[in-house]
Amino acid sequence: MATPRGLGSLLLLLLLLTSGQEKTTEQPRNTCLGRNNIDKYDILNLNDKASCFTTCRPSGSDSCNVENLQRYWLNFEAHLVKEGLTEKVNMTFLKALVQNLSTNTAEDLYFSLKPSQIPRQVMKDEDKPPDRVRLPKSFFRSLPGNRSEVRLAITILDIGSGTLFKGPQLGLGDGSGVLNNHLVGLSVGQMHVTKLAEPLEIVFSHQRPPPPVLLSLLDAWPCCDHLTFFALLLRPTLDQSTVHILTRISQAGCGVSMIFLAFTIILYAVLRLSRQRFKSEDAPKIHVALGGSLFLLNLAFLVNVGSGSKGSDAACWARGAVFHYFLLCAFTWMGLEAFHLYLLAVRVFNTYFGHYFLKLSLVGWGLPALMVIGTGSANSYGLYTIRDRENRTSLELCWFREGTAMYTLYITVHGYFLITFLFGMVVLALVAWKIFTLSGATAVKEQGQNWKKVLTILGLSSLLGVTWGLAIFTPLGLSTVYIFALFNSLQGVFICCWFTILYLPSQSTTVSSSTARLDQAHSASQE
C-alpha cells in the first residue's frame, strides 16, 4: 500500500513541475522591455539584450522599450568602471577596454575604435587610425575633484543590420546606411563631465561615400583652427607644423619690430631735446604714441606665447586682458593717425582744437581701457587653445575663453578693427587722390618725381595699418597667410623708417618733405 501512495506523490510532483514549465513557456521573459535583470551583466543577460538590436525599432513597440535598453548599456559602462574586475571584454557583439589613466598628462590621448578589435591606446609614434577617439589633455583638467587618476571604460557595440539607436538621416535610399553598425560609449570615473574647455572627439569612417545632401549632417567632427598673434583675428584651418612656423615668424618679426620701435622712441627723445620747435609738434607725438602701443603689444604677445598655460587662472586672466588692451590701443592709435592725416591734408582749414594731443591721448589710451574693463567684468578672458585640422592642441595662450566669450571677441576686436581700418583706408584714398591729381599744375617741375609720391603713400600706409588688411586675402591660400604674418609683425620696422626719413636732417631733400612741412604747419595752428 505504501508503494502506490509514494508513486501517486511522485506523479503529482511531476504534474506540478510540468505545469510550471508550461506557464514559463506561456509567459516568457520579455528581455527587450528591459524590466527584468536590469542590473545583471553576466554573459547570458548580455546576449539576451544584444538580441534586441535586430528585433527592435527606434520607435519602440509593445515588446521593446528603447529607453530601457539604452539605460541598460549605459549602466553596463558604469558597471565596468565601478567594479573594475576585468580590463577587457571580448564578445562577438561587444568589445570593451577598462583602463586607469593619469590625470597629469601633457599630451592628447588617442584610442583605436576598430570594430573587430578591443579598443586600445594609440602610441605617439603610430599613425592615427581612421576610427578613433581623442581625449584632449584639457579634458582631465575639467574633471571635478582633485584626482591623480581616473578609470576609463570604452565600449563598442555591434548592433548589426537593425535600426535601433539609428537616426533616419543616416539612412540611404536603398535601405543601407552611411556609417558602420557600431555604437561607441565612454564612461569616466562614475562622474558627469560637463563644460569641457575643448570637445572630446570621436571619429568614424564611412562605409560608403554619402550623397552630398548628407555631408552637412555628417560634418559634425570638429575642425578647429586659429593661427598665432595678429592672425588670431582670422580663423584658418592649419596643421600643427604650419602653426609652429607662423609662431616663429611672428616671434622673430615682433622681436625685430621692438628693436626698431625702441630706436624710434629714443630718436624722438633726442630730437625733442635738441630741437625747441620739435616739442610743440603734434604729429611726431602721435607717431611715437602709435609706436609705443605697438611695442607694448609685441611685448605682451611674446610674454603670452612664452607663458602658455602656466600660472593660475587669475594670472592667465590678467595676461589676456593686457594683450587685449594693447591690441585695442594699437587699433585706436592707427585710427587717430588717420584722423590727424584727415585734418592735415583733407580738411586743412578750421582745424584748431585746444589741448589737441591731450584729447587724442585720452581717446588712444582711455577708450581701450573702458572696453577691457567691460570685457573683463564679463569674465571673458582665460585659456585659449589653438588646434589643428584634427583638433589636436598646437598652442595654448591666454586670450578669450571658448564659448560665449567669442561674441565679445568678434565685437571688441573684429568689429573694432574693421571700423578703424575702413576709416583709415578712406582717408588714405583721399590723400592719395590729392597727391596724384591736385599737383597737376606743378607736373612739369616735378617730372620724374612720381616714385617719391608712391613712397609717401607707402609711408603713410604703415601708420594706418594697411598691412592688417592682408587678412582679407588669407582665404586665398597658405602663402597669403605667411605674407600676412610677416608684413604685419614688421609694421614697427616700417614706422621707424618713415619716422627717420621724415624728421632727420635734410627734410627738404627727402621724399616726404611736403608732409613734414604740413605737419609743422598743422602743429602751429594748434598753438
Side-chain angles (χ1 to χ4, degrees), residues 198-267:
E198 56 181 303
L200 184 147
E201 176 186 320
I202 301 176
V203 178
F204 302 98
S205 58
H206 303 311
Q207 66 179 14
R208 57 181 293 185
V213 71
L214 290 179
L215 287 176
S216 60
L217 295 172
L218 295 171
D219 193 23
W221 286 264
C223 188
C224 297
D225 45 11
H226 320 318
L227 181 52
T228 57
F229 192 25
F230 301 122
L232 286 170
L233 289 172
L234 318 175
R235 297 184 70 84
T237 301
L238 301 170
D239 56 41
Q240 193 170 11
S241 61
T242 303
V243 171
H244 178 76
I245 294 172
L246 287 166
T247 303
R248 292 293 177 262
I249 291 176
S250 295
Q251 287 175 324
C254 290
V256 173
S257 282
M258 289 178 67
I259 294 174
F260 279 82
L261 290 170
F263 174 79
T264 302
I265 296 172
I266 293 172
L267 177 61

Side-chain angles (χ1 to χ4, degrees), residues 18-154:
T18 304
S19 175
Q21 289 176 352
E22 290 176 354
K23 285 185 177 181
T24 303
T25 303
E26 292 174 359
Q27 296 180 0
R29 294 178 300 121
N30 198 331
T31 302
C32 297
L33 285 176
R35 296 170 182 169
N36 301 322
N37 301 324
I38 58 175
D39 57 349
K40 303 297 183 182
Y41 305 108
D42 54 81
I43 295 178
L44 177 61
N45 279 287
L46 289 173
N47 276 290
D48 285 343
K49 299 296 183 185
S51 66
C52 303
F53 293 151
T54 55
T55 59
C56 294
R57 296 292 179 265
S59 58
S61 64
D62 293 339
S63 60
C64 293
N65 188 310
V66 177
E67 291 184 2
N68 285 343
L69 290 174
Q70 290 174 337
R71 190 176 299 110
Y72 178 83
W73 292 110
L74 290 174
N75 290 340
F76 174 66
E77 294 174 10
H79 167 77
L80 292 177
V81 172
K82 180 180 179 180
E83 299 299 329
L85 300 178
T86 180
E87 296 294 330
K88 297 178 181 178
V89 177
N90 189 5
M91 303 176 70
T92 305
F93 58 88
L94 173 64
K95 312 291 182 183
L97 170 70
V98 184
Q99 181 176 329
N100 290 328
L101 297 176
S102 172
T103 58
N104 186 24
T105 177
E107 300 289 339
D108 297 346
L109 301 183
Y110 288 84
F111 292 85
S112 172
L113 299 178
K114 189 174 182 179
S116 60
Q117 298 178 354
I118 297 173
R120 65 176 183 85
Q121 186 171 353
V122 180
M123 299 295 103
K124 293 182 181 179
D125 55 347
E126 289 186 68
D127 293 334
K128 301 298 183 294
D131 298 272
R132 63 186 182 272
V133 60
R134 182 184 72 93
L135 300 179
K137 60 183 179 180
S138 62
F139 168 81
F140 299 98
R141 294 197 296 266
S142 303
L143 298 177
N146 187 15
R147 302 166 182 259
S148 59
E149 66 176 19
V150 293
R151 196 162 180 83
L152 170 72
I154 303 178

Side-chain angles (χ1 to χ4, degrees), residues 6 16 89 110 150 176 195 215 239 268 437 473 524:
L16 290 172
V89 177
Y110 288 84
V150 293
S176 61
K195 298 181 179 179
L215 287 176
D239 56 41
Y268 169 76
T437 63
F473 302 101

Side-chain angles (χ1 to χ4, degrees), residues 324 375 380-384 399-402 405-406 408-409 412:
H324 187 207
T375 303
S380 297
Y381 302 119
L383 189 62
Y384 185 80
W399 184 224
F400 280 78
R401 297 179 184 273
E402 300 281 353
M406 292 293 100
T408 309
L409 170 67
T412 63

Side-chain angles (χ1 to χ4, degrees), residues 395-459:
L395 181 67
E396 289 182 329
L397 72 162
C398 297
W399 184 224
F400 280 78
R401 297 179 184 273
E402 300 281 353
T404 56
M406 292 293 100
Y407 295 108
T408 309
L409 170 67
Y410 299 146
I411 295 172
T412 63
V413 177
H414 297 205
Y416 191 65
F417 160 71
L418 285 175
I419 292 172
T420 57
F421 178 77
L422 292 176
F423 174 65
M425 293 307 96
V426 170
V427 172
L428 184 63
L430 291 174
V431 172
W433 176 72
K434 278 202 167 188
I435 289 177
F436 284 100
T437 63
L438 300 186
S439 57
T442 57
V444 177
K445 296 181 179 179
E446 295 183 0
Q447 191 173 8
Q449 301 299 309
N450 284 336
W451 65 274
K452 294 183 179 180
K453 299 175 184 178
V454 172
L455 291 181
T456 299
I457 297 300
L458 291 177

